[in-house]
Every structure is written in C-alpha cells, then in structure tokens.
Amino acid sequence: MHQTRILPGRSTGVLALIGAALIAAIDEIVFHQILAWHHFYDRSTTELGLVSDGLLHTAEVVGLAAGLVLYADLRRRNALSVPHAWAGLFLGLGGFQLFDGLVNHKVLRVHQVRYGVDTLPYDFVWSGVGVALSAVGVGLAVRAKRART
Amino acid sequence: MTAPGFVDWLLGTTVVLAAAAYLRAAASLRRRGDTWPRRRDVAFAAGGFAFLAALLVPVPGGPFTAHMAQHVVLAMAAPLLLVLGRPVTLMLRVAPSSVRRGVLAVAHSRAAVVLLFPPLAAVLDVGGLWLLYRTSLASATHHDEWLRSAVQLHVVLAGLLFTFVVCQLDPVRRRWNVVWRGLTLLGAGAAHAILAKTLHAWPPPGTNFTAADVQGGAQIMYYGGDLVELALAAALARQWYVRSGRARRFASRGFG
C-alpha cells in the first residue's frame, strides 16, 4: 500500500512555488508582451538587479516544472492537504507580487510598471495587489491550521 | 546570416548521416523483437530536421537577429530533441560487440567523467557565449573564416554536451542526481538570461549591427532560451517523477 500520511507543510510549499512561478509568468506575458508596459531592459537597472533578474527569471521557469511534478507526486501519494495547498498558492502569488513591486521595481530598479507616466499610483496598485493576495494566503493558512487541530 | 561555410556542411552532413543510422538501427531493433518507443525515433528525427533547417533556411530580420535564432535552434532546441532520442543507448543495443566495447571505453573514460561534470559542461557552454559576445571575439569571427568555423563548432558541441549532461538519459559512469543537474540548469539559464539582457544594451564590442537588430537578437536569446529551458526542466522533472514512483513501488513491495 502507498502511504497515506497528509503532508501539510509540503502542500503549502509546493503550491507556493507554483503560485510564484504563475504570477511571474502572468507578469511576463501580460505586462511585458501584451501591454508592453514593462521594458525588457531600461538601462537604469543596477548590476545586482541584472543578476537577480536573471536568476529569478530562470528560477520561475525551472520552478514551474518542479512545482507541477511535486504537486503530482503529492496527489499520487495521497499526501495533499487541500486547505494548505490553497493557502500556499495565495502566499506564493502574493509574496512574489510584493517582492516584484518593492525589491525588483524600486530597490533594484529592474524596470518600472509603466513608462511616461507618474509611476506612484501604479506602484501602489502593484504592491497593493501583492498585499491583498498575501493577506488571503495568511487567512487561508490560519484556517487550514485551525481545521487540523 | 552568413552563407553556410565548410563547418556548416560538415555539421549538416553529420546530422543527416546520424539520423539515417539512428532510424535504421531502431528498425533493426524492432525487427528482432526488442521494444524501442517510437517517440524516441520522432524526437531524434525532429532534432536532425530542425538542425538542418536552421543551417540552410535563411531567417528574416537583421544579421544579428538571424544569427541568434540560428544559435537557439542549433545549440539548444535541436540538441534537446537529439538527446531525448537516447542515441548512445540505441548504439549500445545494436552495435557489434567490438564497436560496443569502443563506445563503452569512451563513455567510461576519465576524460568523459570530467567533461560530464554538470557545472563544467555549463561553463563550457554558457561561459563560451560570454567570451564570444563580451570580448572582441565576435567581431574577429567576421574577418576570419577559420575562427568563425571553430566558434560555430564549439557552440554546437558545447550545447550538445550541456543538454546530454542535464538530461543524463544515456548510460555514463558517473551519474549526478536531479539536484545537481537542476541547479546547473538554473545557473546556466541565469547566466544566459543575464548575457541576453546585457546584449540588449551593449552590442558585442567591435561590431556594427543596428540597435534594433541587436535588441531583436537579445530578445530571441532571452525568450528562446526560456522555452528550451522550460522543456529541459520538464524533461528533468518527468524523469524524477517516474524514478521516484518506481523506487516507492519497489520499497512498498518489501524489497527496499
């Protein structure tokens, strides 16, 4: 028989990985390619920003593939905790959005949300979405924890 | 894109001969009753076809954009398809024992063990690209046909080596676990993406491509690299999933 022990921590972590990779892919497809708001490279990026962008960008690609098989593995082992998985997904989505808004756009200046406009309202909305998604994630995590105890 | 030179004909002919030998070997294996999944034939043939097409079909756009598009296929996409066909495994299954001993001697040699160390393969591959585009090497290849041939050969062989090492589908002496190979893929992919971004702002020194041409090429390098890296990561992930499932079934039957 397969083991049927539920793994809540792993369920949260794996879905957080998928969430972060998903929001990064949405950013790349919608804001870089379709709307063309973000610039590929705007020359004001710091060297550290260039390195961190390259590493994170590749981590998203590798993380998406890794996250999906780790999820399939949890399902196969009957080890997935669904409430924790939802919490993890929102924590990943929100955490990455917040990191992107604060660290990538502002500290490392990888690129801005939009060019030729006052970026302040855009930055507020960008990081605000990150805060909101993270808050949902924290709420779901608390509920998942209570439901188990 | 420059006209195909001597090395391009050499590479093209080698790939055609390899694909023909592969399909013949797979057919003879099936005739004697062994199984050899059809998808491996399809992968290898598609890899050979993509390789040949990239050598012969002119790509629209400026010379740098065309050069980049060609490199993404020759050194990344085609090697992945060729490696997914597991050509060394096939050769070991069909070749006469004298050839088989020769192949195994090479595969198990000390030099092969060193070359197949994942981080070294990554440095030979992506490190070579940094050398090519961030020094005056790229501009030097425009004046020297032999240098251009040597660079083309290196880029293709290093791409094949890197893909072979990351996928590790064929039998080799020293095997590296999925963490080693995954982290190598991560590091190499990051170095590739960073190089593409720097090219977007600063063309290879000594060259006089237009800004639009260089930026187009840089984006092909960045996003083309992404697609192949995603496929490589998927191949690695699938391998882990299949192997860990097999190991668990084995253990749960009480053999563990």
Side-chain angles (χ1 to χ4, degrees), chain B residues 183-247:
Chain B
L183 286 177
T184 299
L185 176 60
L186 180 64
H192 192 265
I194 294 164
L195 179 59
K197 286 232 163 152
T198 70
L199 277 175
H200 192 266
W202 304 284
T207 57
N208 49 8
F209 302 112
T210 66
D213 187 16
V214 169
Q215 292 176 2
Q219 296 203 36
I220 286 187
M221 181 178 182
Y222 191 82
Y223 291 114
D226 279 358
L227 288 180
V228 182
E229 281 151 22
L230 183 62
L232 269 168
L236 210 57
R238 179 178 178 273
Q239 203 182 85
W240 173 83
Y241 185 78
V242 171
R243 284 186 189 163
S244 62
R246 201 179 289 151

Side-chain angles (χ1 to χ4, degrees), chain A residues 20-40:
Chain A
L22 268 185
I23 197 108
I26 292 170
D27 176 60
E28 197 70 53
I29 293 165
V30 176
F31 291 94
H32 280 269
Q33 301 299 323
I34 298 177
L35 293 177
W37 279 8
H38 296 0
H39 284 188
F40 183 69

